[in-house]
Amino acid sequence: AQSVTQLDSHVSVSEGTPVLLRCNYSSSYSPSLFWYVQHPNKGLQLLLKYTSAATLVKGINGFEAEFKKSETSFHLTKPSAHMSDAAEYFCVVAIYNQGGKLIFGQGTELSVKP
Amino acid sequence: NAGVTQTPKFQVLKTGQSMTLQCAQDMNHEYMSWYRQDPGMGLRLIHYSVGAGITDQGEVPNGYNVSRSTTEDFPLRLLSAAPSQTSVYFCASSYSYSTSGIAGGELFFGEGSRLTVL
């Protein structure tokens, strides 16, 4: 069965330092994986997606993620955090043998200190 | 460009009351869905629709009804509200849906409806 686990419920970084949000997945099929971002009191927005093309995926606002099949991971990174990056981030896997339903991780709240 | 619009943004109900959360999209999207968001649990799918007249259950459908009479609208009805239904509800849509799933995996979300059941 497909599942997704975000390893940290909360990450705090200083502005200008790197960001690493960790995500592991479990899938019986070749997975499609996504990262969504949710700013306070807003809906979710797609940040980037992996759908079996390049393993290093670039998204909006300088974020990128690398698909590592051997480690079943899809960690989200950014070289230098900005105050506007403070938000909640969700790792998501698509269950294509169940009509493409999306399974959301529990979320990681990113705080950015000045 | 309005995108996905949800109303109301906030609502307080008493146990046993019924209400409808409204969702409308102006992007001519085939796929629409309702999620609930609870702390530490991510988002869970309640119901979804792949086109007008077609609906199906998601992961947590009990206590909720939906209908899809038009492409634009997908209301969520709480039949008899319970405190366990206190949550933030999100409507989301996508431009197409096939046997391989939501097109590109991209959902467009509304800003949410915060419901409290006393």
Side-chain angles (χ1 to χ4, degrees), chain B residues 1-22:
Chain B
N1 194 359
V4 179
T5 303
Q6 291 182 234
T7 56
K9 293 190 183 305
F10 301 94
Q11 183 71 50
V12 178
L13 291 178
K14 295 181 180 179
T15 296
Q17 288 184 317
S18 63
M19 77 156 300
T20 299
L21 300 178
Q22 302 290 346

Side-chain angles (χ1 to χ4, degrees), chain A residues 2-82:
Chain A
Q2 280 91 336
S3 66
V4 60
T5 301
Q6 293 182 241
L7 301 175
D8 306 291
S9 59
H10 186 261
V11 170
S12 182
V13 300
S14 297
E15 191 174 22
T17 64
V19 175
L20 170 63
L21 305 183
R22 299 183 294 163
C23 173
N24 285 355
Y25 70 90
S26 172
S27 176
S28 305
Y29 303 84
S30 181
S32 290
L33 296 158
F34 314 86
W35 278 97
Y36 278 78
V37 59
Q38 183 183 27
H39 288 95
N41 300 312
K42 296 293 185 182
L44 282 73
Q45 178 186 15
L46 182 66
L47 200 56
L48 51 79
K49 62 182 178 183
Y50 166 77
T51 54
S52 76
T55 56
L56 183 62
V57 181
K58 294 187 184 299
I60 60 174
N61 299 331
F63 284 94
E64 61 183 36
E66 185 171 9
F67 173 71
K68 292 187 176 181
K69 187 175 181 178
S70 60
E71 299 176 8
T72 62
S73 68
F74 190 57
H75 300 336
L76 182 70
T77 60
K78 183 174 181 178
S80 176
H82 191 272

Side-chain angles (χ1 to χ4, degrees), chain A residues 34 36 38 43 49 90 96 99 105, chain B residues 37 42 90 97 100 104-105 107 110:
Chain A
F34 314 86
Y36 278 78
Q38 183 183 27
K49 62 182 178 183
F90 293 92
Y96 286 123
Chain B
Q37 182 179 29
F90 287 97
Y97 182 90
S100 60
L107 287 170

Side-chain angles (χ1 to χ4, degrees), chain B residues 69-116:
Chain B
S69 57
T70 67
T71 299
E72 294 79 17
D73 301 300
F74 191 47
L76 178 72
R77 297 181 185 85
L78 280 70
L79 308 174
S80 178
S84 61
Q85 293 179 303
T86 294
S87 187
V88 181
Y89 292 85
F90 287 97
C91 180
S93 70
S94 182
Y95 60 89
S96 70
Y97 182 90
S98 69
T99 53
S100 60
I102 301 164
E106 180 167 10
L107 287 170
F108 294 81
F109 283 82
E111 295 196 342
S113 297
R114 188 175 298 273
L115 176 67
T116 301

Side-chain angles (χ1 to χ4, degrees), chain A residues 80-96:
Chain A
S80 176
H82 191 272
M83 295 297 292
S84 62
D85 295 328
E88 189 153 18
Y89 293 79
F90 293 92
C91 184
V92 183
V93 63
I95 306 179
Y96 286 123

